[in-house]
Amino acid sequence: MSALSFILAGMLAAAMPFLLAALGELVAERSGVLNLGIEGMMALGAVVAFIVVRHSGGHAMGFVAAGLASAALSLVFAWLALAVRSNQVAAGLAIGILGQGLSALFGKGYESLTVPGLPKLAIPGLSDLPVIGGLFAQDAVVWLGLLGTLAIWAAMRFTKLGLVIRAVGENPHAARALGYHVIGIRYGAVAFGGLMAGFAGAYAATVYTPLWAEGMIAGRGWIALALVVFATWMTGRVFFGAVLFGAVSLSQLAAQAGGVALSSQLLASLPYIVTILVLGVISANKRLLKINGVASLGEPFGP
Amino acid sequence: MMGYRMIRRTTASRRMAVLAPLAALLAAIVLNFVLYLLMGKDPGAVFYAMLLEPFISWNSFAEVLLKMTPLLLIAQGLAIGFRAKVINIGAEGQFVLGAIFASSVPVWFPQATGWWLWPLMLLLGAIGGALWAALPAFWRVRLNASEILVTLMMNLIAAQLLAYLLVGPWKDPMGFNFPQTVMFQWDAMVPTLFPGTRVNVALILALVWSVLAWVYMQRSFQGYQLVVGGLAPHATAYAGFSEGRAVWLSLLIGGFAAGLAGAAEVAGPLGQLQRGIASGYGYAAIIVAYLGGLHPVGIVFSSLFMAALYIGGDNAMVSAGLPASAVEVFQGSLLVCYLAAIVLVRYRFARPAEVAA
């Protein structure tokens, strides 16, 4: 298998943890709430899913449990940020540290254990094509993730709910004057973000690399946060960004397998270095960020 | 709090500023009490080992002071940035770079001797930490990139750089293939303060650094500019204070302190560069900074307390079989409780009737 077809076949799966977490954060940020705790929420979702699947609850149950656990953790954040009106940055960091601690605690007895992954579901015909065929043989979560991306894109763009979420983030006072419950909508958006981060963690730990190792999220939650900025809060761009990062993280494997004479540590740093570079390029365009950005992001709302 | 409304106080309540951390500690103890019960551990034994034992004997208290040193150094540096709303979460990487820069002296010159060796290493470490923080500062000032994300990415890169050095060029050739450098020579070690303990001169440096932080933030005009810039960026920009300078100062000070702490750690309790250097002090110091109310005096107490938690956690691991990660959970929940409790400093709760009247 050539390096190109290897990357094409695997990049969607590699993209899933980034994609799911970033889509959830996108919705939360669109409503005006910045949740920096994604890494911790993913870590919690990962361990919960792993434990459930390990005790043969099945993947569906594992994903549900992970989503609920991370959503519950995100509600603690939402309570701090929205009810108590504490600093969102500090609250997000606190939740992140708590989530990583809980993940390490729950996962203690599971270190280096494995679970079965998920089978690939191929589209007949297309998956037999040369070079790009692998792209059409993916596990069920990837297919669902692609549909979900489309659904979130459509919901944010065309539905009333999407409009209300965006209005709440853009101008909470006006949204309240129109009779919308700003705090309630923000709670919902943050909980959705938590749910998606839980799914992202579950995918990372029980499908993509179905082996438990403490700290296995390894910064992917932070990259998801950066992706939302790269994408200037647009769903379609989040998707392309996530696939790009999936491809970058796969290319290190391809490079190592291909005997490229670079240290494995340098290759492992590649996604982080790319994040820094892209962040610099996108952020330097202040006008773009201002037009697409969320006006009330991170600001507490109270009467 | 049903039926109650939050009313903003006209001035921050000092009484609450002191009570809030204590209330948070109490709440965290209650929450973790339940957790330990669920885990089948005896909460009484855990809390005795975790919260009291560190203070009972001089030996364990000396270990607390040793742990307190890096936390205090890093948190004082971070708090300056946090007050200026420059959120440096890259202390972990800056700490590692400090350790690497300091280690370069004994690794490249293992035969060198002289009284100036360890001071030179500490200085190099501080410079290394500041350099590692300079890139996020440049990215933020010139390219408008979030320092939160860039500093975090720099942590992950620093961890890989450390791993590269330890398995590659800096590995001790006589070290049985362990990922660690040679043991440092005597002159490369920070002198200890009390015989029989590992507490060293770096504790004095951390305390002096705290006094400097207090003078800088509470008494100097530049510190005042930083604080006001954090509170009201538009007003201060109008008054002619530069935001870019605040970012540079915050990150360089934070990186300098974290680098110094990393240097003191390799040249102190570790005595060689090894993987154990990246043990999460940089993240714990974020909690220390907030728990101390971002105030230099408060941070002295919060760093002492957090250091005791580490030592106590080790005790509880031995005596009550508590996993090390339970300490991390306790720290995280403590910060959550603190953020909830601190609201009482700036708000009071009133019944609706009182609001109407």
Side-chain angles (χ1 to χ4, degrees):
Chain A
M1 199 194 272
S2 73
L4 178 65
S5 60
F6 171 77
I7 289 173
L8 282 176
M11 69 184 181
L12 287 178
M16 271 307 122
F18 302 120
L19 177 67
L20 298 175
L23 284 175
E25 177 70 11
L26 175 98
V27 173
E29 289 194 16
R30 271 291 187 191
S31 83
V33 188
L34 175 68
N35 184 356
L36 290 182
I38 299 198
E39 181 85 3
M41 297 192 303
M42 278 176 78
L44 180 66
V47 78
V48 168
F50 190 89
I51 291 172
V52 170
V53 176
R54 174 82 195 174
H55 295 290
S56 72
H59 278 85
M61 190 74 104
F63 271 72
V64 169
L68 291 180
S70 299
L73 187 62
S74 76
L75 284 175
V76 178
F77 164 80
W79 178 74
L80 281 177
L82 301 173
V84 179
R85 282 178 236 167
S86 62
N87 177 337
Q88 290 185 13
V89 168
L93 292 176
I95 289 299
I97 293 169
L98 182 60
Q100 282 177 294
L102 287 172
S103 173
L105 187 64
F106 295 156
K108 190 158 189 312
Y110 296 88
E111 196 69 28
S112 303
L113 296 182
T114 58
V115 292
L118 281 179
K120 300 255 188 264
L121 306 175
I123 299 180
L126 288 179
S127 59
D128 300 325
L129 291 173
V131 186
I132 61 164
L135 200 53
F136 300 100
Q138 303 290 342
D139 58 70
V141 182
V142 171
W143 294 125
L144 287 174
L146 295 178
L147 287 179
T149 307
L150 211 60
I152 289 170
W153 171 78
M156 290 305 281
R157 203 177 167 100
F158 302 118
T159 69
K160 188 172 173 199
L161 178 66
L163 183 68
V164 171
I165 290 174
R166 283 185 290 148
V168 163
E170 213 49 47
N171 192 337
H173 294 281
R176 196 168 86 112
L178 287 172
Y180 293 110
H181 195 303
V182 171
I183 298 294
I185 288 161
R186 287 185 171 177
Y187 262 109
V190 170
F192 180 75
L195 183 81
M196 295 293 282
F199 290 161
Y203 189 81
T206 66
V207 184
Y208 188 59
T209 39
L211 171 141
W212 184 252
E214 194 184 315
M216 58 112 49
I217 298 301
R220 280 180 281 188
W222 291 100
I223 292 182
L225 268 165
L227 271 175
V228 179
V229 180
F230 297 170
T232 59
W233 296 271
M234 285 152 82
T235 318
R237 293 189 190 171
V238 164
F239 174 76
F240 288 111
V243 173
L244 173 75
F245 271 82
V248 168
S249 49
L250 269 187
S251 61
Q252 0 162 345
L253 295 179
Q256 267 164 346
V260 173
L262 276 174
S263 84
S264 65
Q265 289 84 15
L266 180 62
L267 288 169
S269 309
L270 211 56
Y272 314 136
I273 295 170
V274 172
T275 303
I276 292 176
L277 294 177
V278 180
L279 205 54
V281 172
I282 302 264
S283 305
N285 191 343
K286 285 191 183 175
R287 230 186 88 236
L288 182 73
L289 287 192
K290 208 175 168 93
I291 290 170
N292 290 324
V294 180
S296 75
L297 188 60
E299 281 171 16
F301 175 77
Chain B
M1 271 174 268
M2 269 294 170
Y4 283 78
R5 296 199 70 110
M6 285 164 73
I7 311 282
R8 203 178 176 101
R9 295 177 193 272
T10 42
T11 54
S13 163
R14 274 189 176 236
R15 196 164 61 102
M16 286 299 171
V18 175
L19 285 179
L22 298 176
L25 176 60
L26 201 66
I29 287 178
V30 171
L31 286 174
N32 285 272
F33 190 96
V34 177
L35 180 69
Y36 302 148
L37 280 182
L38 291 175
M39 288 166 62
K41 310 283 177 202
D42 172 10
V46 171
F47 283 124
Y48 176 78
M50 216 155 101
L51 300 175
L52 290 176
E53 231 172 22
F55 297 103
I56 282 174
S57 79
W58 163 238
N59 270 334
S60 63
F61 186 65
E63 286 296 297
V64 171
L65 292 178
L66 182 72
K67 282 268 184 212
M68 173 186 174
T69 305
L71 292 174
L72 181 57
L73 274 170
I74 303 171
Q76 293 287 17
L78 291 183
I80 292 172
F82 290 173
R83 288 180 75 175
K85 293 274 154 61
V86 177
I87 311 298
N88 171 10
I89 53 175
E92 183 75 8
Q94 293 145 18
F95 180 85
V96 168
L97 260 285
I100 290 174
F101 268 60
S103 303
S104 66
V105 175
V107 166
W108 285 333
F109 307 101
Q111 310 299 335
T113 54
W115 61 267
W116 44 269
L117 217 51
W118 65 265
L120 172 73
M121 287 162 61
L122 292 191
L123 182 66
L124 277 177
I127 292 171
L131 284 177
W132 203 245
L135 185 125
F138 182 85
W139 243 242
R140 160 82 192 265
V141 171
R142 283 303 177 85
L143 302 174
N144 187 39
S146 158
E147 77 282 9
I148 302 178
L149 295 172
V150 178
T151 51
L152 194 281
M153 293 298 137
M154 297 294 282
N155 288 349
L156 300 169
I157 298 171
Q160 295 297 333
L161 177 63
L162 175 70
Y164 166 74
L165 289 173
L166 291 181
V167 299
W170 281 16
K171 187 167 69 176
D172 179 6
M174 315 288 276
F176 302 103
N177 226 12
F178 280 110
Q180 55 196 28
T181 64
V182 292
M183 291 299 293
F184 296 173
Q185 63 267 43
W186 176 254
D187 280 343
M189 300 289 288
V190 181
T192 52
L193 281 179
F194 311 107
T197 70
R198 303 196 292 165
V199 184
N200 61 40
V201 174
L203 177 65
I204 308 276
L205 291 179
L207 292 170
V208 170
W209 177 250
S210 300
V211 173
L212 290 177
W214 183 82
V215 171
Y216 184 64
M217 291 312 279
Q218 311 298 125
R219 289 289 176 266
S220 82
F221 184 58
Q222 202 177 58
Y224 173 76
Q225 282 181 324
L226 284 178
V227 173
V228 177
L231 291 174
H234 295 297
T236 41
Y238 185 69
F241 304 166
S242 146
E243 195 203 355
R245 205 173 61 148
V247 173
W248 274 110
L249 277 172
S250 298
L251 276 159
L252 289 181
I253 292 172
F256 183 90
L260 181 61
E265 196 69 8
V266 273
L270 292 186
Q272 66 182 159
L273 189 63
Q274 44 162 273
R275 283 218 171 129
I277 187 75
S279 58
Y281 286 133
Y283 298 111
I286 298 173
I287 305 181
V288 171
Y290 279 115
L291 284 184
L294 303 184
H295 190 285
V297 177
I299 289 170
V300 174
F301 289 103
S302 61
S303 63
L304 181 68
F305 176 74
M306 282 281 282
L309 263 188
Y310 271 112
I311 301 301
D314 288 348
N315 293 341
M317 204 154 70
V318 177
S319 61
L322 195 74
S325 44
V327 175
E328 210 184 320
V329 173
F330 190 90
Q331 294 173 347
S333 55
L334 183 61
L335 182 56
V336 169
C337 294
Y338 175 77
L339 291 174
I342 201 71
V343 71
L344 295 171
V345 176
R346 290 200 293 141
Y347 292 91
R348 64 193 177 87
F349 290 92
R351 287 174 188 284
E354 197 188 327
V355 179

